[in-house]
Amino acid sequence: MIKRTAQTTWTKPAGGPVTGKPIARPNRTAEVQAYFPEFVRGLAVSMRHFFKNTKEMMLGQKPDPVLESLEEGVTTICYPEERRPYPERFRGIHRLTLRDDGSPRCVACLCCSTACPAQCISIEAAEYPPGDSKRGYERYPKTFVIDELRCIFCGFCVEACPCDAIRMDTGIHAVPYDSRDQFIYRKDLLMEFSGRDGSRKSANPRHEPGDPTHPGLSRDHMEH
Amino acid sequence: MNLVELVLTVGKIAIVLGFFLNLAALGVWADRRQGAMVQDRVGPNRAVVHLPNMLARLIVLLPPALFGVLSIFLALGNVTPRLAHERALVNVQLTVLVTWLSLLVLCVTVQRGGAINKLEEMFEDIDPRSIFFGGLGLHALGLVAMRFVTLDGAPAAARITGFVLGGVFLLVGLYATSRVPEGSIPLRLAGTLHALADTIKMIFKEDFVPKNADRLLHSLAPMIAIFPAIVVTAVLPFGNDLCFADNGDKVFGFADLGNLVNAVPASGACAGWRVPLQIADLNVGILYIFAMSSTGIIGAAIAGWASDNKFSLLGGLRACSQMVSYEVAMGLALVGLFLVYDSVRLGDMAVWQGQNAWGVFVQPAGFLLFLTALCAETKRVPFDQPEGESEIVAGYFLEYSGFKWGMFMVGEYLEMCFASALLVALFFGGYSLPFIHPDGLRIAFGDAILYEYKMTHLAVTVISVLGFFGKVVLVTWFQVFFRWTLPRFRYDQLMKLGWTKLLPLAIANMMLTAVVVLAARSAGPAVASWLKILADLSQALIAVLTLAGFVALVVGLLEPVERKKFLASSAARFAAAMGGVKAEPRQA
Ligand code: SF4
Ligand code: SF4
């Protein structure tokens, strides 16, 4: 006996085949089937629009940047000299956020490259040099490469990052370059970008190992 | 082929290729711009070149000054009375044209930008349409007035009108130059420079070839694709045959080129050296076009195969099967036309259409079938199945970048321009215009001659060449419109249309035409004369419609629009709600 689930408006009513509502086929008269009369009519419509709009633009009765003759109610902007503000959550090109000392916040955990559905992030992890306070505690990305041509700007990498090290808040479009290598963004470039507010760092404070706000272990790293 | 023929051929190739390549570039622009105009948005128009003020003035001054000086120079020479008469007529019409056109431009400029002197204030309240109507009246008046100019008085008339025309040109040029504003001039040309900018960009783009692609074929494919679109122009007749008299040595040499005959008989027969305005006057004519244009398929197929990409391959396959299918219908749709014209030479077809009726009137069904098949051949909307963003990412040119991609695109537009030229040659009278015969203008219905005006051979040739190129531009413009009107077909619908609709219809049309042609040929002279009158009526219809269309166009374009109406349009309201984007004191 199959268990009956409670019926909602979304579930199929139990038992019996689905009955559809018959929908009448659109009336296919010989005129419509012949295609050409309708085609001519359609052509007339687009021609009418074309002539009307051309006339109004050419005579300056409608905003047209070619003439820029209408002062009020201008509907166009002169990109790139003037720009419309981007929405708050616009996904621009990636950037890597920095620590106070200017090193990348990224700990090379590879979460982003794992999450990336387009597989366009490539990270090579490395240990900090001996003597560094972070050595043995976390790693850093020796190379961090994003192929912006493959990126689909889904933002999964930003979501995946546990350290808020990668962000997509630069407000920069994918720029049109003329060759493929120019779309390969490397660590230096990614660290150079700032957010739209001009800051390089993340807004989330970071608790470095050793400082009193740090919730984790405090062990002697130098001896590692 | 001797040297002079070679030189002439090279000249003809330069003319035809120059025209078609430029038209293709303009077609790219027109496609974008018209799409924008149909959908009420701004098209490409921001490519701008800043010209120094002096250069801008020079550009404005040079053409009118050149024409003016040329006209005065021509007026100084001595010519035969016949030529003088014709020259006077042309001078009068040109003077009227230049005058009303410049006054119209001045009127619109003044009404938009304000008057700066007494003369311009006069134009502030004038309706531009009345200037146009006045101009039309003057054109007609000029035609009537020329009836009163006798052959004896013609040289004087030609001289006077030549001076007047030169004066008008110089005046217009000087005034326009004085109106060029100070400072450097941004030259936008309504966005036509975009095509140029795109070309420059494409040259510098990376030329990417996929790793496993066949490098040779990958590079060869765009060339194969563009090749047929260029070579088929060889058989297009773009004007009346030129006729040169022999200078006595019975050999066609450079010395004969000066002896362009003054007039040819109505039949168009030429006693001396005939130079067809057609790069190659082939006997097989249209068959050559079919043979060549079908090689375009190979380009698309190779492009799809050589890029080592399944999507490209699918696109190439689709292109192939579509073009092969429609090639069949295309050829058969024309057979009726061959039966009527009794020839497959394009030159003969143009002559036939000039003497009888245009192809659209003789073969309307064939025209529709051919137009459909031609659209499918040029791979443009609604038959752009070889490409498809949603199904096959892009199409057979998916793995192409830079100029190779550009070649596919230009090839497509070239094909479109060429398709228009073919339509013109086969169905829209080729280079012939209504009532223009090799010996001049003659309005006649059957044997009743209403009006006759003899023209020189040169004048008729110039008119026919202009007529041909003008018609091609018009038809191209029309073809661009298909794209903005029709939705695409589904691929199976496309195939079904080609094989189950177009093909049988084409065959039926062919058989029907054969029966009718046989019946008409054996019917006797009475029917033939009736058919001739019908043909003349069709020519009259074209002439009247063309004139009416031109007048309606200009009047419609000059019609004032109320400001209220467009400010209430949605886009303007949207901008107002945004507070406007232009920093304007009035908005503050
Ligand atoms: S935005 Fe998406 S596709 Fe782009 S790098 Fe991040 S995860 Fe990958
Ligand atoms: S950017 Fe973030 S998710 Fe990616 S490796 Fe660095 S720390 Fe991990």
Side-chain angles (χ1 to χ4, degrees):
Chain A
M1 171 93 195
I2 306 161
K3 210 177 129 213
R4 282 267 162 90
T5 48
Q7 196 166 325
T8 69
T9 47
W10 305 106
T11 53
K12 199 170 79 175
V18 184
T19 49
K21 196 173 92 192
I23 296 175
R25 291 210 72 131
N27 190 13
R28 294 190 173 188
T29 57
E31 194 197 3
V32 172
Q33 286 291 78
Y35 199 81
F36 270 101
E38 292 298 312
F39 164 50
V40 171
R41 220 163 287 159
L43 211 57
V45 170
S46 49
M47 289 251 179
R48 201 167 55 234
H49 282 291
F50 169 73
F51 280 119
K52 182 170 160 289
N53 292 330
T54 308
K55 176 181 73 179
E56 292 177 3
M57 284 197 184
M58 284 303 166
L59 296 186
Q61 291 152 331
K62 161 177 274 181
D64 179 14
V66 177
L67 305 162
E68 281 176 335
S69 49
L70 196 84
E71 296 89 4
E72 2 171 351
V74 170
T75 54
T76 54
I77 57 168
C78 304
Y79 187 86
E81 293 89 11
E82 298 167 28
R83 295 177 191 215
R84 290 227 165 95
Y86 286 122
E88 275 294 300
R89 302 195 320 185
F90 167 71
R91 290 200 192 109
I93 293 283
H94 311 76
R95 71 173 169 119
L96 285 177
T97 54
L98 306 181
R99 297 177 212 246
D100 288 336
D101 59 358
S103 59
R105 254 185 97 146
C106 170
V107 296
C109 67
L110 308 191
C111 283
C112 54
S113 60
T114 311
C116 176
Q119 306 194 354
C120 60
I121 307 183
S122 152
I123 301 166
E124 207 180 301
E127 279 301 342
Y128 282 101
D132 195 301
S133 66
K134 290 183 282 270
R135 182 180 168 87
Y137 179 75
E138 61 189 30
R139 297 178 298 169
Y140 77 99
K142 200 166 89 190
T143 59
F144 194 112
V145 180
I146 302 183
D147 183 347
E148 296 287 350
L149 263 190
R150 293 192 66 154
C151 175
I152 53 170
F153 295 90
C154 61
F156 285 1
C157 50
V158 180
E159 296 289 330
C161 182
C163 313
D164 195 21
I166 186 166
R167 286 189 153 215
M168 297 178 81
D169 60 354
T170 50
I172 302 175
H173 269 313
V175 194
Y177 292 124
D178 55 14
S179 84
R180 296 199 171 203
D181 352 312
Q182 284 162 308
F183 288 95
I184 310 290
Y185 282 20
R186 287 163 214 286
K187 194 173 89 179
D188 306 342
L189 188 67
L190 290 169
M191 282 164 59
E192 241 162 56
F193 292 136
S194 61
R196 245 176 298 167
D197 53 356
S199 68
R200 294 285 182 86
K201 285 183 253 172
S202 147
N204 311 342
R206 185 180 164 89
H207 312 281
E208 300 289 348
D211 79 33
T213 57
H214 186 60
L217 299 167
S218 66
R219 51 178 201 206
D220 188 17
H221 308 288
M222 314 298 279
E223 282 170 15
H224 182 78
Chain B
M1 181 186 263
N2 60 24
L3 194 62
V4 60
E5 279 171 346
L6 193 70
V7 170
L8 284 176
T9 309
V10 170
K12 285 187 274 191
I13 292 176
I15 292 175
V16 171
L17 272 195
F19 174 75
F20 278 102
L21 286 178
N22 277 311
L23 190 62
L26 272 179
V28 176
W29 167 79
D31 202 347
R32 310 279 182 275
R33 180 83 185 168
Q34 287 187 25
M37 287 297 181
V38 169
Q39 295 170 358
D40 196 9
R41 57 186 166 79
V42 175
N45 54 18
R46 293 211 66 84
V48 53
V49 173
H50 286 276
L51 283 184
N53 192 275
M54 278 317 282
L55 197 61
R57 273 170 210 259
L58 214 67
I59 288 176
V60 172
L61 181 63
L62 215 56
L66 218 63
F67 281 125
V69 171
L70 187 71
S71 163
I72 291 173
F73 177 73
L74 285 178
L76 292 177
N78 279 325
V79 283
T80 57
R82 259 289 296 286
L83 195 57
H85 194 265
E86 187 180 297
R87 205 174 262 182
L89 178 83
V90 171
N91 282 345
V92 168
Q93 297 298 333
L94 268 184
T95 313
V96 175
L97 182 76
V98 171
T99 312
W100 72 255
L101 211 59
S102 340
L103 286 184
L104 205 61
V105 172
L106 182 66
C107 181
V108 173
T109 327
V110 166
Q111 289 181 356
R112 200 185 297 153
I116 54 166
N117 56 30
K118 273 265 160 7
L119 175 86
E120 297 195 350
E121 274 164 20
M122 292 187 341
F123 287 97
E124 266 178 334
D125 304 320
I126 291 184
D127 183 356
R129 277 175 298 174
S130 46
I131 295 180
F132 171 65
F133 283 130
L136 280 193
L138 279 183
H139 275 304
L141 213 62
L143 275 182
V144 173
M146 281 312 290
R147 303 293 287 174
F148 296 108
V149 177
T150 55
L151 276 187
D152 298 332
R159 191 155 292 178
I160 295 170
T161 49
F163 279 123
V164 172
L165 178 64
V168 168
F169 262 124
L170 287 179
L171 209 71
V172 167
L174 286 177
Y175 193 72
T177 313
S178 75
R179 282 284 307 216
V180 171
E182 295 298 322
S184 77
I185 310 292
L187 189 68
R188 286 225 170 86
L189 299 183
T192 33
L193 293 172
H194 265 261
L196 189 70
D198 278 341
T199 320
I200 297 172
K201 183 183 77 182
M202 276 191 294
I203 291 173
F204 291 106
K205 282 256 179 190
E206 180 186 6
D207 177 28
F208 178 80
V209 181
K211 204 157 68 201
N212 290 331
D214 187 321
R215 290 194 76 91
L216 176 72
L217 288 182
H218 188 268
S219 324
L220 213 56
M223 294 179 215
I224 300 178
I226 207 170
F227 169 77
I230 291 177
V231 291
V232 279
T233 51
V235 289
L236 280 180
F238 60 92
N240 248 338
D241 295 354
L242 280 174
C243 186
F244 295 97
D246 188 36
N247 62 352
D249 57 3
K250 298 265 182 281
V251 185
F252 189 33
F254 284 102
D256 295 318
L257 285 186
N259 303 338
L260 185 68
V261 296
N262 201 5
V264 292
S267 66
C270 173
W273 303 109
R274 196 179 66 92
V275 177
L277 285 187
Q278 179 180 11
I279 296 169
D281 190 8
L282 294 185
N283 275 332
V284 287
I286 188 91
L287 301 182
Y288 164 81
I289 289 181
F290 283 145
M292 280 301 145
S293 66
S294 46
T295 56
I297 301 168
I298 302 174
I302 289 185
W305 186 80
S307 13
D308 183 39
N309 181 322
K310 299 288 184 291
F311 290 119
S312 307
L313 188 61
L314 278 176
L317 279 179
R318 275 160 67 146
C320 248
S321 44
Q322 169 180 337
M323 286 163 82
V324 168
S325 327
Y326 277 82
E327 197 85 38
V328 181
M330 192 164 122
L332 285 177
L334 282 190
V335 175
L337 214 57
F338 303 154
L339 291 173
V340 177
Y341 293 163
D342 214 4
S343 167
V344 287
R345 292 167 82 115
L346 286 150
D348 291 352
M349 292 183 183
V351 170
W352 193 94
Q353 294 181 75
Q355 284 165 354
N356 298 286
W358 284 10
V360 251
F361 294 106
V362 221
Q363 281 278 300
F367 169 67
L368 292 183
L369 294 173
F370 184 69
L371 182 68
T372 318
L374 204 61
C375 277
E377 280 293 295
T378 50
K379 307 192 284 279
R380 281 174 62 79
V381 179
F383 296 100
D384 61 339
Q385 301 308 323
E387 44 194 290
E389 303 243 318
S390 47
E391 323 98 87
I392 46 173
V393 188
Y396 56 93
F397 48 80
L398 165 61
E399 291 290 1
Y400 282 86
S401 56
F403 220 92
K404 286 185 197 157
W405 178 85
M407 272 164 85
F408 278 119
M409 289 298 118
V410 171
E412 180 178 305
Y413 280 94
L414 257 181
E415 249 172 53
M416 182 183 73
C417 301
F418 174 70
S420 323
L422 199 58
L423 276 177
V424 168
L426 294 173
F427 289 101
F428 294 112
Y431 52 77
S432 65
L433 290 170
F435 302 126
I436 303 273
H437 297 275
D439 60 339
L441 181 72
R442 188 170 64 247
I443 302 180
F445 294 96
D447 296 328
I449 296 175
L450 299 185
Y451 178 87
E452 194 162 21
Y453 183 81
K454 292 266 181 239
M455 279 196 276
T456 54
H457 181 45
L458 182 67
V460 172
T461 310
V462 169
I463 289 178
S464 70
V465 171
L466 289 183
F468 179 76
F469 286 141
K471 280 187 212 173
V472 173
V473 171
L474 257 183
V475 175
T476 311
W477 174 78
F478 216 76
Q479 283 212 351
V480 168
F481 255 95
F482 293 172
R483 180 172 183 157
W484 298 109
T485 304
L486 297 174
R488 312 172 69 196
F489 288 117
R490 225 167 47 213
Y491 196 73
D492 61 319
Q493 290 174 333
L494 174 106
M495 278 308 188
K496 216 187 250 168
L497 178 70
W499 288 109
T500 67
K501 305 263 161 51
L502 288 192
L503 190 59
L505 279 178
I507 295 176
N509 177 49
M510 181 172 101
M511 297 202 294
L512 204 69
T513 315
V515 172
V516 172
V517 166
L518 262 188
R521 290 224 175 114
S522 53
V527 176
S529 71
W530 272 111
L531 283 179
K532 183 80 184 84
I533 291 183
L534 270 186
D536 288 338
L537 279 177
S538 78
Q539 302 273 18
L541 186 71
I542 297 164
V544 170
L545 281 185
T546 313
L547 208 65
F550 175 70
V551 172
L553 181 73
V554 178
V555 171
L557 285 183
L558 291 177
E559 192 183 16
V561 188
E562 289 136 59
R563 214 180 168 82
K564 286 196 257 42
K565 254 191 212 154
F566 67 83
L567 274 183
S569 74
S570 58
R573 261 190 278 124
F574 170 72
M578 300 264 297
V581 258
K582 213 175 203 183
E584 250 290 331
R586 239 174 288 179
Q587 286 174 354

